[in-house]
Amino acid sequence: MSKPPVLINLLQALCAIVLGNVAYFFVAPVLHLPRHRPFQLDAGLTVDFLFCVVAYGLIRTARRWK
């Protein structure tokens, strides 16, 4: 396995996490989710994870269209 594809995948994942979290923090006040408690899985973490997955999917789709 060569290094450039691994680095590209890492950068795509990092961008997806950052973009997903930014989108979540803009939308979170509208969602009225319960307050997060540390070290517990809750609705906010699940929604944040879904935002990151969607961002990753959009990034991967955009790179394939290139």
Side-chain angles (χ1 to χ4, degrees):
M1 182 180 280
S2 62
K3 296 286 184 195
V6 173
L7 183 60
I8 290 171
N9 287 338
L10 178 67
L11 290 174
Q12 288 176 354
L14 179 63
C15 287
I17 291 168
V18 170
L19 291 174
N21 282 322
V22 167
Y24 172 74
F25 285 118
F26 278 120
V27 176
V30 178
L31 297 176
H32 302 293
L33 296 170
R35 187 164 176 84
H36 174 68
R37 286 179 278 170
F39 306 110
Q40 292 186 355
L41 184 63
D42 59 5
L45 285 175
T46 305
V47 171
D48 184 28
F49 175 74
L50 291 175
F51 272 97
C52 293
V53 169
V54 168
Y56 185 73
L58 291 173
I59 290 170
R60 295 290 294 205
T61 301
R63 287 201 39 92
R64 285 191 186 155
W65 283 350
K66 184 177 159 182

